[in-house]
Each structure stands twice: as structure tokens, then as C-alpha cells.
Amino acid sequence: MADLARILEQSLPVVRETGQWIQSMVNQIAIEHIQYKGKNDLVSFVDQTAEARLKESLSVIFPEAGFIAEESASDFSEVGDGYYWVIDPLDGTTNFLHQLPIYAVSVGLIYQKQPVLGMIYEPNRDELFYAVQGAGAHLNGLPIQVSSQPTLEKSLLATGFPYHDFSYQDKYLTLLKELMQKSHGLRRMGAAAIDLAYTACGRFEGFFEANLKPWDVAAGKIIIEEAGGKVSNFSGGSDVIFTGQIIGAGAIFEEFLGTLQVHWKN
């Protein structure tokens, strides 16, 4: 088994420094520098350079691990049971390019296709969330816990709207209608890593989203779990890294999942 405590200690400065470099690039992107990987799926040289910086440093810290990274991703079927860094160098690229200060660096480490370490750095608030298997979750060195609020009715929820795959739009909107009526409200931050981190520290009672990629959720999953929360796919199973679905919450988890499942039939 890898020395996860050592790997975390050495990786945290790398993630923070990358986020601070990203922050220094605000206002440096011209329209002609923006590329489209697909409908509403934007990328810039900032994403690409940040990923290269992360891969270079992390490969030195833990050379035995492979990579699953957003800007250089390959076929996920090639992923084995060993260690893999799962990297989103800039989660919330659209926010970043529009100068909306909600974006983050997200780095997870998986083993046997499950996260064992996660780090999420939000540079605008200088907040570094992290967790390692069996050691709890932390924010800037202090322990964090999910919300103990027991009812959906008194909860603030987060989600992500469909932005390029609209095949599930109708059932999603039906679910949103019920959640709007049965909660304190819903927020759409535009960066799944931040939604997950904020759920881990109790700012949100719960979060759900579909059509996500491994790099969107690998770090956040273990941070929520180590903060005392529960995470599953929409069927209630533990595989969220490669299914594209995630729901995470504190004390409301069972009620939240049950409400979702009424409307969301796979």
C-alpha cells in the first residue's frame, strides 16, 4: 500500500501553487484563445498548462501512478486496478473565462477504481479541501464535517444543469420542481468540485449531478465520505467515478436519494 500520508503532504503545495498560477492568469485570456471540445465545453491554454504542471510534479511524488486527466484523457476502459491520479486542472473553466470567481483545481488518487485521496483548491477564497482514506477531511488544516441537518425541507442543495447533453432534461426538470418546493433552495455553482467540497464542510446539505466525468468527482467523493457523509450513484451503488452520476449528502442522504429516485429511472 502506498504511503498516502506522505503523498498528500507533498502534493498539497503542488495543488495550491497550481491554483495560484491559474489565479494569476485571470484577465489574460482573449476570445481567440478559447477552444471548444464540444458544445459548451470550453478549454484554454490555462487548463492545458495547469494540467501539464500537475502531471509533471505528481509523477515525481508518486511515479507508480498513472493519470486520468481532463485535457489528455484516454479510453476509461484501459484503467486498471492500480493507482491513478485523476485530475481536473481547472474545474469551472466557463466561470473562469467569464471572470466569475467560482473555479477550482481538483486532484484525486484512485486505487482499485475507488478514491483513496482527494484535494480541491479554490483560489479565490484560498481554501484547500483535502482528505486521505481513514484520516478524516480537512479545510486549510482544520477538520470538517457534513451537515447534520436531518430534513430535506430545511436543506440548501446544489446541482449542475445539463449543458451539452440534454437527453435527460425532462426528468431533471421534474426533479428540480419537487426539490424547489421541498427545500431551502438549489444552487448551480458551475463547478462540481466546489459543490462537493461545500457539501463536505456543510455549506450545502447535498449535491447531485449527472453526466459527469471521473475528474469531476474523484477528489470530492472521498472528501465527503471522510467528512462523515455518504456518496452514491443514482441507483444507490458505490461506483460514481465511471458512471457519470453522483449524489452526496450528510444526514439527509436517504431522503434525498429517495426523492431523486422517484423521478430518475435509469
Side-chain angles (χ1 to χ4, degrees):
M1 189 71 176
D3 185 351
L4 296 177
R6 176 196 65 81
I7 293 169
L8 177 68
E9 181 181 5
Q10 295 180 2
S11 301
L12 287 172
V14 172
V15 172
R16 186 186 292 274
E17 289 163 9
T18 301
Q20 290 172 344
W21 176 80
I22 290 171
Q23 192 71 354
S24 74
M25 299 305 295
V26 174
N27 300 323
Q28 303 299 311
I29 307 295
I31 292 176
E32 58 267 23
H33 296 151
I34 300 173
Q35 303 172 38
Y36 286 80
K37 296 183 289 183
K39 181 177 175 62
N40 296 328
D41 194 1
L42 283 60
V43 66
S44 74
F45 74 86
V46 174
D47 306 66
Q48 295 162 340
T49 303
E51 180 175 303
R53 291 167 66 117
L54 288 166
K55 291 175 75 172
E56 181 179 8
S57 296
L58 295 173
S59 64
V60 173
I61 293 169
F62 190 23
E64 296 87 352
F67 287 95
I68 305 171
E70 180 172 13
E71 306 310 331
S72 57
S74 60
D75 185 353
F76 300 151
S77 66
E78 299 173 359
V79 174
D81 286 335
Y83 288 97
Y84 290 83
W85 290 110
V86 187
I87 299 173
D88 192 337
L90 177 50
D91 187 33
T93 297
T94 301
N95 287 347
F96 174 80
L97 294 173
H98 284 270
Q99 300 180 32
L100 184 66
I102 305 171
Y103 43 85
V105 179
S106 180
V107 177
L109 181 66
I110 63 172
Y111 177 66
Q112 296 182 339
K113 300 181 181 178
Q114 290 295 328
V116 293
L117 181 156
M119 300 169 285
I120 296 171
Y121 179 59
E122 200 280 275
N124 288 281
R125 293 172 59 94
D126 190 27
E127 291 189 329
L128 182 52
F129 300 82
Y130 57 91
V132 66
Q133 191 174 56
H138 297 79
L139 165 56
N140 289 348
L142 299 176
I144 55 174
Q145 290 186 324
V146 293
S147 172
S148 60
Q149 170 53 244
T151 64
L152 193 60
E153 181 182 15
K154 296 181 180 180
S155 296
L156 183 64
L157 308 174
T159 187
F161 302 150
Y163 65 95
H164 64 86
D165 178 359
F166 300 98
S167 61
Y168 56 93
Q169 181 174 268
D170 290 344
K171 59 184 175 182
Y172 184 85
L173 291 175
T174 303
L175 172 60
L176 286 185
K177 181 178 179 180
E178 179 167 357
L179 292 175
M180 287 176 188
Q181 296 172 1
K182 290 188 175 180
S183 71
H184 276 177
L186 294 106
R187 300 291 182 266
R188 200 282 196 187
M189 307 291 279
I194 291 179
D195 292 320
L196 291 162
Y198 284 9
T199 299
C201 70
R203 295 173 187 169
F204 294 133
E205 272 67 41
F207 165 70
F208 76 98
E209 189 170 349
N211 202 31
L212 293 173
K213 298 291 191 286
W215 46 81
D216 296 313
V217 299
K221 179 179 188 292
I222 189 168
I223 295 174
I224 288 181
E225 290 174 337
E226 288 294 325
K230 295 181 180 180
V231 180
S232 78
N233 56 39
F234 292 175
S235 299
S238 61
D239 182 9
V240 304
I241 305 302
F242 298 100
T243 61
Q245 302 175 345
I246 191 168
I247 177 170
I252 64 163
F253 181 82
E254 299 299 337
E255 182 185 5
F256 190 20
L257 177 61
T259 302
L260 182 151
Q261 289 178 335
V262 168
H263 300 278
W264 201 289
K265 306 297 183 181
N266 287 322

Coordinates of all heavy atoms in Angstrom, one line a residue, residues 115-200:
P115 N -11.5 6.2 -4.9 CA -10.7 7.3 -4.4 C -10.1 6.9 -3.0 O -10.8 6.4 -2.2 CB -11.6 8.5 -4.3 CG -12.7 8.2 -5.1 CD -12.9 6.7 -5.1
V116 N -8.8 7.2 -2.9 CA -8.1 7.0 -1.6 C -7.6 8.3 -1.1 O -7.1 8.4 0.1 CB -7.0 5.9 -1.7 CG1 -7.7 4.6 -1.9 CG2 -6.0 6.3 -2.7
L117 N -7.6 9.3 -1.9 CA -7.0 10.6 -1.5 C -7.7 11.7 -2.4 O -7.9 11.4 -3.6 CB -5.5 10.6 -1.7 CG -4.6 11.8 -1.4 CD1 -3.2 11.4 -1.1 CD2 -4.6 12.9 -2.5
G118 N -7.9 12.8 -1.9 CA -8.5 13.9 -2.7 C -8.1 15.3 -2.2 O -8.0 15.5 -1.0
M119 N -8.0 16.2 -3.2 CA -7.6 17.6 -2.9 C -8.4 18.5 -3.8 O -8.4 18.3 -5.0 CB -6.1 17.8 -3.1 CG -5.2 16.9 -2.2 SD -3.4 17.0 -2.7 CE -3.5 15.9 -4.2
I120 N -9.0 19.5 -3.3 CA -9.7 20.5 -4.1 C -9.3 21.9 -3.6 O -9.4 22.2 -2.4 CB -11.2 20.4 -3.9 CG1 -11.7 19.0 -4.5 CG2 -11.9 21.5 -4.7 CD1 -13.1 18.7 -4.2
Y121 N -8.7 22.7 -4.5 CA -8.3 24.1 -4.1 C -9.0 25.1 -4.8 O -9.1 25.1 -6.1 CB -6.8 24.2 -4.4 CG -6.3 25.6 -4.0 CD1 -6.4 26.1 -2.7 CD2 -5.7 26.4 -5.0 CE1 -5.9 27.3 -2.3 CE2 -5.2 27.7 -4.6 CZ -5.3 28.1 -3.3 OH -4.9 29.4 -3.0
E122 N -9.7 26.0 -4.1 CA -10.5 27.1 -4.6 C -9.6 28.4 -4.4 O -9.6 28.9 -3.3 CB -11.8 27.2 -3.9 CG -12.9 27.9 -4.7 CD -12.7 29.4 -4.5 OE1 -13.3 29.9 -3.6 OE2 -12.1 30.1 -5.4
P123 N -9.0 28.9 -5.4 CA -8.0 30.0 -5.2 C -8.6 31.3 -4.8 O -8.0 32.2 -4.2 CB -7.3 30.1 -6.6 CG -8.3 29.5 -7.6 CD -9.0 28.5 -6.8
N124 N -9.9 31.6 -5.2 CA -10.5 32.9 -4.9 C -10.7 33.1 -3.4 O -10.5 34.2 -2.9 CB -11.8 33.1 -5.6 CG -11.6 33.3 -7.1 OD1 -11.3 34.4 -7.5 ND2 -11.8 32.2 -7.9
R125 N -10.9 32.0 -2.7 CA -11.1 32.1 -1.2 C -9.9 31.5 -0.5 O -9.8 31.4 0.7 CB -12.4 31.4 -0.8 CG -13.6 32.1 -1.2 CD -14.9 31.2 -0.9 NE -15.0 30.9 0.5 CZ -15.7 31.6 1.4 NH1 -16.4 32.7 0.9 NH2 -15.8 31.3 2.6
D126 N -8.9 31.1 -1.3 CA -7.7 30.4 -0.7 C -8.1 29.3 0.2 O -7.6 29.1 1.3 CB -6.8 31.4 0.0 CG -5.4 30.8 0.4 OD1 -5.0 29.9 -0.3 OD2 -4.8 31.2 1.4
E127 N -9.0 28.4 -0.3 CA -9.5 27.3 0.5 C -9.0 26.0 -0.1 O -9.3 25.7 -1.3 CB -11.0 27.3 0.6 CG -11.5 28.5 1.4 CD -13.0 28.4 1.7 OE1 -13.7 27.8 0.9 OE2 -13.4 28.9 2.8
L128 N -8.3 25.2 0.7 CA -7.8 23.9 0.2 C -8.4 22.8 1.1 O -8.2 22.6 2.3 CB -6.2 23.9 0.4 CG -5.5 22.6 0.0 CD1 -5.9 22.2 -1.5 CD2 -4.0 22.8 0.1
F129 N -9.3 22.1 0.4 CA -10.0 20.9 1.0 C -9.2 19.7 0.7 O -8.8 19.5 -0.5 CB -11.4 20.8 0.4 CG -12.3 22.0 0.6 CD1 -12.2 23.1 -0.3 CD2 -13.3 22.0 1.6 CE1 -13.1 24.2 -0.1 CE2 -14.1 23.1 1.8 CZ -14.0 24.2 0.9
Y130 N -9.1 18.8 1.6 CA -8.4 17.5 1.3 C -8.8 16.4 2.3 O -9.3 16.6 3.4 CB -6.9 17.7 1.4 CG -6.3 18.3 2.7 CD1 -5.9 17.4 3.7 CD2 -6.3 19.6 2.9 CE1 -5.4 17.9 4.9 CE2 -5.8 20.1 4.1 CZ -5.3 19.3 5.1 OH -4.8 19.8 6.2
A131 N -8.5 15.2 1.8 CA -8.8 14.0 2.7 C -8.0 12.9 2.2 O -7.7 12.8 1.0 CB -10.3 13.6 2.6
V132 N -7.7 12.0 3.1 CA -7.0 10.7 2.8 C -7.7 9.6 3.5 O -8.3 9.8 4.6 CB -5.5 10.8 3.2 CG1 -5.3 10.9 4.7 CG2 -4.7 9.6 2.6
Q133 N -7.8 8.5 2.9 CA -8.6 7.4 3.4 C -8.3 7.1 4.9 O -7.1 6.9 5.2 CB -8.4 6.1 2.6 CG -9.3 5.0 2.8 CD -9.1 3.9 1.8 OE1 -8.0 3.3 1.7 NE2 -10.1 3.5 1.1
G134 N -9.3 7.1 5.7 CA -9.1 6.8 7.1 C -8.6 7.9 8.0 O -8.5 7.7 9.2
A135 N -8.4 9.1 7.5 CA -7.8 10.2 8.3 C -8.7 11.4 8.4 O -8.3 12.4 8.9 CB -6.5 10.5 7.8
G136 N -10.0 11.3 8.0 CA -10.8 12.5 8.0 C -10.6 13.5 6.9 O -9.7 13.3 6.1
A137 N -11.5 14.5 6.9 CA -11.4 15.5 5.9 C -11.1 16.9 6.5 O -11.4 17.1 7.7 CB -12.7 15.6 5.1
H138 N -10.4 17.7 5.8 CA -9.9 19.0 6.3 C -10.0 20.1 5.3 O -10.1 19.9 4.1 CB -8.4 18.8 6.7 CG -8.2 17.8 7.8 ND1 -8.1 16.5 7.6 CD2 -8.0 18.0 9.1 CE1 -7.9 15.8 8.7 NE2 -7.8 16.7 9.7
L139 N -10.1 21.3 5.9 CA -10.1 22.6 5.1 C -9.0 23.5 5.7 O -9.2 23.9 6.9 CB -11.5 23.2 5.1 CG -11.5 24.7 4.7 CD1 -11.0 24.9 3.3 CD2 -13.0 25.2 4.8
N140 N -8.0 23.7 5.0 CA -6.9 24.6 5.5 C -6.4 24.1 6.8 O -6.1 24.9 7.7 CB -7.3 26.0 5.5 CG -7.5 26.6 4.1 OD1 -7.1 26.1 3.1 ND2 -8.1 27.8 4.0
G141 N -6.3 22.8 7.0 CA -5.7 22.3 8.2 C -6.7 22.0 9.3 O -6.3 21.3 10.3
L142 N -8.0 22.4 9.2 CA -9.0 22.2 10.2 C -10.0 21.1 9.8 O -10.4 21.1 8.6 CB -9.7 23.5 10.5 CG -8.8 24.6 11.0 CD1 -9.7 25.9 11.2 CD2 -8.2 24.3 12.4
P143 N -10.4 20.2 10.7 CA -11.3 19.2 10.4 C -12.7 19.8 9.9 O -13.1 20.8 10.4 CB -11.5 18.4 11.7 CG -10.3 18.8 12.5 CD -10.0 20.2 12.2
I144 N -13.3 19.1 9.0 CA -14.6 19.5 8.5 C -15.6 18.3 8.6 O -15.2 17.1 8.6 CB -14.6 20.0 7.1 CG1 -14.0 19.0 6.1 CG2 -13.9 21.3 7.0 CD1 -14.1 19.4 4.6
Q145 N -16.9 18.6 8.7 CA -17.9 17.6 8.7 C -19.1 18.0 7.9 O -19.3 19.2 7.7 CB -18.4 17.4 10.2 CG -17.4 16.7 11.1 CD -18.1 16.4 12.4 OE1 -18.9 17.2 12.9 NE2 -17.7 15.3 13.0
V146 N -19.8 17.0 7.4 CA -21.0 17.3 6.6 C -22.1 17.8 7.5 O -22.0 17.7 8.7 CB -21.5 16.0 5.9 CG1 -20.6 15.6 4.8 CG2 -21.8 14.9 6.9
S147 N -23.1 18.4 6.9 CA -24.2 19.0 7.7 C -25.0 17.9 8.5 O -25.2 16.8 7.9 CB -25.2 19.7 6.8 OG -26.4 20.1 7.4
S148 N -25.4 18.2 9.7 CA -26.2 17.3 10.5 C -27.7 17.6 10.3 O -28.5 17.0 11.0 CB -25.8 17.4 11.9 OG -26.0 18.7 12.4
Q149 N -28.0 18.5 9.5 CA -29.5 18.9 9.2 C -30.2 17.6 8.7 O -29.8 17.0 7.7 CB -29.6 20.0 8.2 CG -31.0 20.2 7.7 CD -32.0 20.5 8.8 OE1 -32.9 19.8 9.0 NE2 -31.7 21.6 9.5
P150 N -31.2 17.1 9.5 CA -31.8 15.9 9.2 C -33.0 15.9 8.1 O -33.4 14.8 7.7 CB -32.4 15.4 10.5 CG -32.8 16.7 11.2 CD -31.8 17.7 10.7
T151 N -33.4 17.0 7.7 CA -34.6 17.1 6.8 C -34.3 17.8 5.5 O -33.6 18.9 5.6 CB -35.8 17.7 7.5 OG1 -35.5 19.1 7.8 CG2 -36.2 17.0 8.8
L152 N -34.8 17.3 4.4 CA -34.7 18.0 3.1 C -35.3 19.3 3.2 O -34.8 20.3 2.5 CB -35.3 17.1 2.1 CG -35.0 17.4 0.6 CD1 -33.6 17.3 0.3 CD2 -35.8 16.4 -0.3
E153 N -36.4 19.5 3.9 CA -37.2 20.7 3.9 C -36.3 21.9 4.4 O -36.6 23.0 4.0 CB -38.4 20.5 4.9 CG -39.3 21.7 5.0 CD -40.4 21.5 6.0 OE1 -40.3 20.5 6.8 OE2 -41.4 22.3 6.0
K154 N -35.4 21.7 5.2 CA -34.5 22.7 5.8 C -33.1 22.7 5.2 O -32.2 23.3 5.8 CB -34.5 22.7 7.3 CG -35.8 22.9 8.0 CD -35.7 22.8 9.5 CE -37.1 23.0 10.1 NZ -37.0 22.9 11.6
S155 N -33.0 22.2 4.0 CA -31.7 22.0 3.4 C -31.5 22.9 2.2 O -32.4 23.2 1.5 CB -31.5 20.5 2.9 OG -31.5 19.7 4.0
L156 N -30.2 23.3 2.0 CA -29.8 24.0 0.8 C -29.0 23.0 -0.1 O -28.1 22.4 0.4 CB -28.9 25.2 1.1 CG -28.4 26.1 0.0 CD1 -29.6 26.7 -0.7 CD2 -27.4 27.1 0.4
L157 N -29.4 22.9 -1.3 CA -28.9 21.8 -2.2 C -28.1 22.5 -3.4 O -28.4 23.6 -3.7 CB -30.1 21.0 -2.7 CG -31.0 20.4 -1.7 CD1 -32.2 19.7 -2.4 CD2 -30.3 19.4 -0.8
A158 N -27.3 21.7 -4.0 CA -26.5 22.1 -5.1 C -26.7 21.1 -6.3 O -26.9 19.9 -6.0 CB -25.0 22.3 -4.8
T159 N -26.6 21.6 -7.5 CA -26.7 20.7 -8.6 C -26.0 21.3 -9.8 O -25.4 22.4 -9.7 CB -28.2 20.4 -9.0 OG1 -28.2 19.4 -10.0 CG2 -28.8 21.7 -9.5
G160 N -25.9 20.6 -10.9 CA -25.4 21.1 -12.1 C -26.4 20.9 -13.3 O -26.9 19.8 -13.4
F161 N -26.7 21.9 -14.0 CA -27.7 21.8 -15.1 C -27.0 21.1 -16.3 O -25.8 21.2 -16.5 CB -28.2 23.2 -15.5 CG -28.8 24.0 -14.4 CD1 -28.7 25.4 -14.4 CD2 -29.4 23.4 -13.4 CE1 -29.3 26.1 -13.4 CE2 -30.0 24.2 -12.3 CZ -29.9 25.5 -12.4
P162 N -27.9 20.4 -17.1 CA -27.4 19.9 -18.4 C -26.9 21.1 -19.2 O -27.5 22.1 -19.3 CB -28.6 19.3 -19.0 CG -29.6 19.0 -17.9 CD -29.3 20.1 -16.9
Y163 N -25.7 20.9 -19.8 CA -25.1 22.0 -20.6 C -24.7 21.5 -22.0 O -24.4 22.4 -22.9 CB -24.0 22.7 -19.9 CG -22.8 21.9 -19.7 CD1 -21.7 21.9 -20.6 CD2 -22.7 21.1 -18.6 CE1 -20.6 21.1 -20.3 CE2 -21.5 20.3 -18.3 CZ -20.5 20.3 -19.2 OH -19.4 19.6 -19.0
H164 N -24.6 20.2 -22.2 CA -24.3 19.7 -23.6 C -25.0 18.5 -24.0 O -25.2 18.2 -25.1 CB -22.8 19.6 -23.8 CG -22.2 18.5 -23.0 ND1 -22.1 17.2 -23.3 CD2 -21.6 18.6 -21.8 CE1 -21.5 16.5 -22.4 NE2 -21.2 17.3 -21.4
D165 N -25.5 17.7 -23.0 CA -26.3 16.5 -23.2 C -27.6 16.8 -22.6 O -27.8 16.8 -21.4 CB -25.6 15.3 -22.5 CG -26.5 14.0 -22.7 OD1 -27.5 14.1 -23.3 OD2 -26.0 12.9 -22.2
F166 N -28.6 17.0 -23.5 CA -30.0 17.4 -23.0 C -31.0 16.2 -23.0 O -32.2 16.4 -22.9 CB -30.5 18.5 -23.8 CG -29.6 19.7 -23.7 CD1 -28.7 20.0 -24.7 CD2 -29.7 20.6 -22.6 CE1 -27.8 21.1 -24.6 CE2 -28.9 21.7 -22.5 CZ -27.9 22.0 -23.5
S167 N -30.4 15.0 -23.2 CA -31.3 13.8 -23.3 C -32.1 13.5 -22.0 O -33.2 12.9 -22.1 CB -30.5 12.6 -23.7 OG -29.5 12.3 -22.6
Y168 N -31.6 14.0 -20.9 CA -32.3 13.7 -19.6 C -33.0 15.0 -19.1 O -33.3 15.0 -17.9 CB -31.4 13.1 -18.6 CG -30.1 13.9 -18.3 CD1 -30.1 14.8 -17.3 CD2 -29.0 13.8 -19.1 CE1 -29.0 15.6 -17.0 CE2 -27.9 14.6 -18.8 CZ -27.9 15.5 -17.8 OH -26.8 16.3 -17.5
Q169 N -33.1 16.0 -19.9 CA -33.6 17.3 -19.4 C -35.0 17.2 -18.8 O -35.2 17.8 -17.7 CB -33.6 18.3 -20.6 CG -34.1 19.7 -20.2 CD -33.9 20.6 -21.4 OE1 -32.9 21.3 -21.5 NE2 -34.9 20.7 -22.3
D170 N -35.9 16.5 -19.4 CA -37.3 16.5 -18.9 C -37.4 15.9 -17.5 O -38.0 16.5 -16.6 CB -38.2 15.7 -19.8 CG -38.4 16.5 -21.1 OD1 -38.1 17.7 -21.2 OD2 -38.9 15.8 -22.1
K171 N -36.8 14.7 -17.2 CA -36.9 14.2 -15.9 C -36.1 15.0 -14.9 O -36.5 15.1 -13.7 CB -36.5 12.7 -15.9 CG -35.1 12.4 -16.3 CD -34.8 10.9 -16.3 CE -33.5 10.5 -16.9 NZ -33.3 9.1 -17.0
Y172 N -35.0 15.6 -15.3 CA -34.3 16.5 -14.5 C -35.1 17.7 -14.0 O -35.1 18.1 -12.8 CB -33.0 17.0 -15.2 CG -32.1 17.8 -14.4 CD1 -31.1 17.2 -13.6 CD2 -32.1 19.2 -14.5 CE1 -30.2 18.0 -12.9 CE2 -31.3 20.0 -13.7 CZ -30.3 19.3 -12.9 OH -29.5 20.1 -12.2
L173 N -35.8 18.3 -14.9 CA -36.6 19.5 -14.6 C -37.8 19.1 -13.7 O -38.2 19.9 -12.8 CB -37.2 20.1 -15.9 CG -36.1 20.8 -16.8 CD1 -36.8 21.3 -18.1 CD2 -35.5 22.0 -16.0
T174 N -38.3 17.9 -13.8 CA -39.4 17.4 -12.9 C -38.8 17.2 -11.5 O -39.5 17.6 -10.5 CB -40.0 16.1 -13.4 OG1 -40.5 16.2 -14.8 CG2 -41.1 15.6 -12.5
L175 N -37.6 16.7 -11.4 CA -37.0 16.6 -10.1 C -36.7 17.9 -9.5 O -37.0 18.1 -8.3 CB -35.7 15.8 -10.3 CG -34.8 15.7 -9.1 CD1 -35.5 15.0 -7.9 CD2 -33.5 14.9 -9.4
L176 N -36.2 18.9 -10.3 CA -35.9 20.2 -9.8 C -37.2 20.8 -9.2 O -37.1 21.5 -8.2 CB -35.3 21.1 -10.9 CG -33.9 20.8 -11.3 CD1 -33.5 21.9 -12.3 CD2 -32.9 20.8 -10.1
K177 N -38.3 20.7 -9.9 CA -39.6 21.3 -9.4 C -39.9 20.8 -8.0 O -40.3 21.6 -7.2 CB -40.7 20.9 -10.4 CG -42.0 21.5 -10.0 CD -43.1 21.1 -11.1 CE -44.4 21.7 -10.7 NZ -45.5 21.4 -11.7
E178 N -39.7 19.5 -7.8 CA -40.0 19.0 -6.4 C -39.0 19.5 -5.4 O -39.4 19.9 -4.3 CB -40.1 17.4 -6.4 CG -40.4 16.9 -5.0 CD -40.7 15.4 -5.0 OE1 -40.8 14.8 -6.0 OE2 -40.9 14.9 -3.9
L179 N -37.8 19.5 -5.8 CA -36.7 19.9 -4.8 C -36.9 21.4 -4.5 O -36.6 21.8 -3.4 CB -35.4 19.6 -5.4 CG -35.0 18.1 -5.4 CD1 -33.6 18.0 -6.1 CD2 -35.0 17.5 -4.1
M180 N -37.3 22.2 -5.5 CA -37.5 23.6 -5.2 C -38.6 23.8 -4.2 O -38.5 24.7 -3.3 CB -37.9 24.3 -6.5 CG -36.8 24.5 -7.5 SD -37.5 25.2 -9.1 CE -36.1 25.1 -10.1
Q181 N -39.6 23.0 -4.2 CA -40.7 23.1 -3.3 C -40.5 22.5 -1.9 O -41.1 22.8 -0.9 CB -42.0 22.4 -3.9 CG -42.4 23.1 -5.2 CD -43.6 22.3 -5.9 OE1 -44.0 21.3 -5.4 NE2 -44.0 22.8 -7.0
K182 N -39.5 21.6 -1.8 CA -39.2 20.8 -0.6 C -37.9 21.1 0.1 O -37.4 20.4 0.9 CB -39.3 19.3 -0.9 CG -40.7 18.9 -1.2 CD -40.8 17.3 -1.3 CE -42.2 16.8 -1.5 NZ -42.2 15.4 -1.6
S183 N -37.3 22.3 -0.3 CA -36.0 22.6 0.3 C -35.9 24.1 0.5 O -36.8 24.9 0.1 CB -34.9 22.1 -0.6 OG -34.8 22.9 -1.7
H184 N -34.8 24.5 1.1 CA -34.5 26.0 1.2 C -34.1 26.5 -0.2 O -34.0 27.8 -0.3 CB -33.4 26.2 2.2 CG -33.8 26.3 3.6 ND1 -33.0 26.4 4.7 CD2 -35.1 26.2 4.1 CE1 -33.7 26.4 5.8 NE2 -35.0 26.3 5.5
G185 N -33.8 25.7 -1.2 CA -33.4 26.2 -2.5 C -32.3 25.3 -3.1 O -31.8 24.5 -2.5
L186 N -32.1 25.6 -4.4 CA -31.0 25.0 -5.1 C -30.0 26.0 -5.7 O -30.4 27.1 -6.0 CB -31.6 24.1 -6.3 CG -32.4 23.0 -5.9 CD1 -33.9 23.3 -6.1 CD2 -32.0 21.7 -6.7
R187 N -28.8 25.6 -5.7 CA -27.7 26.5 -6.3 C -27.0 25.7 -7.4 O -26.8 24.5 -7.3 CB -26.7 26.9 -5.2 CG -27.3 27.6 -4.0 CD -27.8 29.0 -4.5 NE -28.4 29.8 -3.4 CZ -29.7 29.8 -3.0 NH1 -30.5 29.1 -3.8 NH2 -30.1 30.5 -2.0
R188 N -26.6 26.5 -8.5 CA -25.9 25.9 -9.6 C -24.6 26.7 -9.7 O -24.6 27.8 -10.3 CB -26.7 26.0 -10.9 CG -26.3 25.0 -12.0 CD -25.1 25.5 -12.7 NE -25.0 24.7 -14.0 CZ -24.0 24.7 -14.8 NH1 -22.9 25.5 -14.5 NH2 -24.0 24.0 -15.9
M189 N -23.5 26.2 -9.1 CA -22.2 26.9 -9.0 C -21.4 26.9 -10.3 O -20.7 27.8 -10.6 CB -21.4 26.4 -7.8 CG -22.1 26.3 -6.5 SD -22.4 27.9 -5.8 CE -20.8 28.3 -5.1
G190 N -21.6 25.8 -11.0 CA -20.8 25.7 -12.3 C -19.5 25.0 -12.1 O -18.7 25.1 -13.0
A191 N -19.3 24.4 -11.0 CA -18.0 23.6 -10.8 C -18.3 22.5 -9.8 O -18.5 22.8 -8.6 CB -16.9 24.5 -10.2
A192 N -18.4 21.3 -10.3 CA -18.8 20.2 -9.4 C -17.9 20.0 -8.2 O -18.3 19.6 -7.1 CB -18.9 18.9 -10.2
A193 N -16.6 20.2 -8.4 CA -15.6 20.0 -7.3 C -15.9 20.9 -6.2 O -15.9 20.5 -5.0 CB -14.2 20.3 -7.8
I194 N -16.3 22.2 -6.5 CA -16.7 23.1 -5.4 C -18.0 22.7 -4.7 O -18.1 22.7 -3.5 CB -16.8 24.5 -6.0 CG1 -15.4 25.0 -6.3 CG2 -17.5 25.5 -5.0 CD1 -15.4 26.4 -6.9
D195 N -19.0 22.2 -5.5 CA -20.2 21.7 -4.9 C -19.9 20.6 -3.9 O -20.5 20.5 -2.8 CB -21.1 21.2 -6.0 CG -21.7 22.2 -6.9 OD1 -22.0 23.3 -6.4 OD2 -21.8 22.0 -8.2
L196 N -19.0 19.7 -4.3 CA -18.7 18.5 -3.5 C -18.0 19.0 -2.2 O -18.2 18.5 -1.1 CB -17.9 17.5 -4.2 CG -18.6 16.8 -5.4 CD1 -17.7 16.2 -6.4 CD2 -19.6 15.7 -4.8
A197 N -17.0 19.9 -2.4 CA -16.3 20.4 -1.2 C -17.2 21.2 -0.3 O -17.0 21.0 1.0 CB -15.1 21.3 -1.7
Y198 N -18.1 22.0 -0.8 CA -19.0 22.7 0.1 C -20.0 21.8 0.8 O -20.4 22.1 1.9 CB -19.7 23.8 -0.8 CG -18.9 25.0 -1.1 CD1 -17.5 25.0 -0.9 CD2 -19.5 26.1 -1.7 CE1 -16.8 26.1 -1.2 CE2 -18.8 27.2 -2.0 CZ -17.4 27.2 -1.8 OH -16.7 28.4 -2.1
T199 N -20.3 20.7 0.1 CA -21.2 19.7 0.8 C -20.4 19.0 1.9 O -20.9 18.8 3.0 CB -21.7 18.6 -0.2 OG1 -22.4 19.2 -1.2 CG2 -22.5 17.5 0.5
A200 N -19.1 18.8 1.7 CA -18.3 18.1 2.7 C -18.2 19.0 4.0 O -18.1 18.4 5.1 CB -16.9 17.8 2.2

